[in-house]
Amino acid sequence: RDYGFFSIINHGISESILQNFDEAMRQFFALPEEVKLGLARTNDNSRGYSNNEFTKQTRDIKEIFDYGHTLREDLAPNANENRVLDGFNQLPREDDLPGFATVIKEYYKACSELSLKLIRTIALSLGLSADALDDFFLNNHTSFLRLNKYPAIDNDAEPYLNNEANLDQEIDPTARNDDFSTPLNKLRGKRLGVNRHFDAGGLTILRQDANISALQMNLHRPEQKPKWIDVSPIPGALTVNCGDMLQVLSNDVIKAPEHRVKATTHPGKVRYSAPFFLNPAYDAIIQPILPENTTSTARYKPFTWGFFRRRRFEGDFQNEGIPEIQIAHFRI
C-alpha cells in the first residue's frame, strides 16, 4: 500500500506463452523501419508504433508498440465498430511477421485474466466486497499492452544516473529543443529510457527483461526530495504496480508509485519490457469507493476515465509545454 509495487509468482501465465511473447516482441522490433513506421501512432490513434514519445516534456530513449482492447474480434481492427477513444489496433501484415497477431492476443488475454483476479483481491484488502470494483474493470475495461525496446544509448547522449534528483527539473525549460522528428540516435544531452511518471490506469503488470535492471521507483512523495531505487526483476515473477485510478478508488489508501526507466548503457545490449495496463471503461466515473461504516470522507472529485486518458495521451504524443494531467487536479 505504501510503495505501490509488488512481484507476483505462481501467476498462472504459462512459460510457453511468455517465451512465445518474448520472441514475438523481439521479432517485431527487428522489422525494417519502413514497416514499423507504416504502423505509426497519430494524434488521434494511440495504438501502433512510435519512436518519439514524450514523458515530462522530454523525449524517451525507446521504441514502443501499443495493442489495445477490441470490441469485435470478428471484424477488421480498423472497422468502425473497433474504433474507440484510443483509436484502433494496427498490426503487421501476416506476410511481414507470421503469427505475431495470434501471440500478442494470447498474451493480452492472459494478462487481462490475471489483472482482473488481482483487482478483486485488492478490493477485499480494502474492506470492500470482491466485486466492488467490477463495474469499473470487469466487462468493459479499455486496457492495452505495450511492447518496449530500449536501445543502448550512444555517444551523442549521456545516461542520467542521479538517484537523488529529477531529470526534467535539472533541465532549463527554455533550453529544451526536443521535437518528435529527431532520430533516437541523434538525441543529445542527459537522457532516461522513460522519464518519471505515474501510470494512469488501475494496475500495471510488467514483463521485465531478466538480464538488465533499469526500472526505478521514487521512495519519496513528489513534494519531497526524490530517492530513486531499483525495482529489479525476479526470476519467474511479474512486476506489478498500482496506478492513479486505483489510488483514487481507494481514497489514497493505496499509493500509485512514481517511477522511471534508466537508459540502457550496456554496449550492444538492448533491453525489452512489456507492461499491460488495466484501464477502466471510458465512461466509468472515477471517485473514491468507501467501505461501509467508515468515518473517512472522499478526497477526490468525480471524473471520467475517458477524459483523463485522452488528456494524458495528448501529453505523450508531443511536447505541449504544459504539465500533464494528474489526479492531484481532482483532489478536494
Side-chain angles (χ1 to χ4, degrees):
R1 293 187 178 196
D2 292 334
Y3 300 114
F5 264 106
F6 59 95
S7 295
I8 180 170
I9 60 174
N10 302 323
H11 43 67
I13 301 180
S14 72
E15 189 62 24
S16 63
I17 289 177
L18 292 170
Q19 293 302 321
N20 289 342
F21 173 72
D22 288 349
E23 180 61 23
M25 178 161 50
R26 286 166 171 76
Q27 289 178 350
F28 174 82
F29 288 117
L31 287 171
E33 192 71 6
E34 62 270 19
V35 175
K36 291 184 288 187
L37 289 175
L39 307 170
R41 302 193 310 175
T42 65
N43 59 2
D44 59 2
N45 187 5
S46 69
R47 297 178 179 176
Y49 172 78
S50 175
N51 59 8
N52 54 18
E53 187 166 69
F54 284 83
T55 307
K56 285 285 185 291
Q57 302 172 44
T58 59
R59 277 279 299 279
D60 300 327
I61 302 285
K62 66 176 180 179
E63 298 178 56
I64 66 172
F65 176 79
D66 287 351
Y67 172 86
H69 75 295
T70 303
L71 298 178
R72 292 281 303 274
E73 288 283 359
D74 59 318
L75 298 176
N78 62 351
N80 286 335
E81 291 86 346
N82 282 327
R83 292 174 182 258
V84 295
L85 184 148
D86 280 310
F88 58 90
N89 287 322
Q90 303 183 83
L91 291 162
R93 296 184 311 159
E94 187 68 14
D95 290 345
D96 289 328
L97 195 53
F100 178 79
T102 299
V103 172
I104 291 300
K105 291 175 182 179
E106 182 180 46
Y107 186 71
Y108 180 97
K109 181 175 182 290
C111 286
S112 176
E113 292 172 352
L114 173 60
S115 63
L116 293 172
K117 290 178 183 177
L118 290 174
I119 210 72
R120 285 192 153 201
T121 302
I122 288 170
L124 289 172
S125 77
L126 293 171
L128 305 171
S129 62
D131 62 357
L133 302 177
D134 282 6
D135 287 346
F136 299 95
F137 297 104
L138 188 60
N139 296 318
N140 298 305
H141 66 88
T142 61
S143 309
F144 73 97
L145 171 66
R146 169 166 291 179
L147 283 55
N148 288 318
K149 175 188 175 182
Y150 298 95
I153 202 166
D154 66 16
N155 292 329
D156 289 331
E158 175 188 349
Y160 186 76
L161 300 174
N162 190 341
N163 288 334
E164 296 187 356
N166 294 321
L167 171 62
D168 52 288
Q169 293 173 339
E170 286 196 356
I171 301 173
D172 180 355
T174 63
R176 292 177 182 164
N177 58 1
D178 279 3
D179 60 57
F180 59 103
S181 61
T182 303
L184 285 177
N185 61 3
K186 298 297 182 183
L187 293 173
R188 299 180 180 275
K190 296 177 181 178
R191 297 287 166 180
L192 286 162
V194 182
N195 207 345
R196 64 189 180 100
H197 64 284
F198 297 88
D199 287 351
L203 281 179
T204 302
I205 298 176
L206 176 66
R207 172 72 166 165
Q208 288 208 66
D209 190 317
N211 299 312
I212 304 175
S213 179
L215 177 64
Q216 293 189 310
M217 67 165 289
N218 186 3
L219 277 179
H220 295 165
R221 303 311 297 169
E223 64 274 8
Q224 301 172 311
K225 181 180 178 181
K227 181 66 175 179
W228 294 97
I229 63 168
D230 292 345
V231 183
S232 299
I234 296 174
L238 295 169
T239 305
V240 182
N241 67 270
C242 303
D244 283 340
M245 298 306 101
L246 194 55
Q247 179 167 334
V248 174
L249 291 168
S250 72
N251 206 34
D252 286 342
V253 173
I254 294 173
K255 301 294 193 298
E258 187 176 37
H259 53 288
R260 69 186 190 183
V261 179
K262 294 182 291 186
T264 301
T265 58
H266 305 267
K269 288 271 191 177
V270 174
R271 179 178 179 268
Y272 297 92
S273 72
F276 172 88
F277 301 98
L278 176 67
N279 291 338
Y282 292 128
D283 61 356
I285 298 175
I286 307 300
Q287 59 187 334
I289 306 299
L290 303 176
E292 292 183 8
N293 303 319
T294 184
T295 58
S296 300
T297 58
R299 297 182 178 182
Y300 295 91
K301 296 178 290 187
F303 59 91
T304 64
W305 163 247
F307 171 77
F308 192 93
R309 166 62 185 155
R310 185 62 193 178
R311 289 295 299 131
R312 181 63 66 87
F313 172 64
E314 288 168 354
D316 292 346
F317 184 74
Q318 59 187 337
N319 182 358
E320 293 187 307
I322 59 175
E324 293 175 324
I325 191 171
Q326 304 291 346
I327 57 175
H329 295 146
F330 302 93
R331 188 177 291 276
I332 297 173

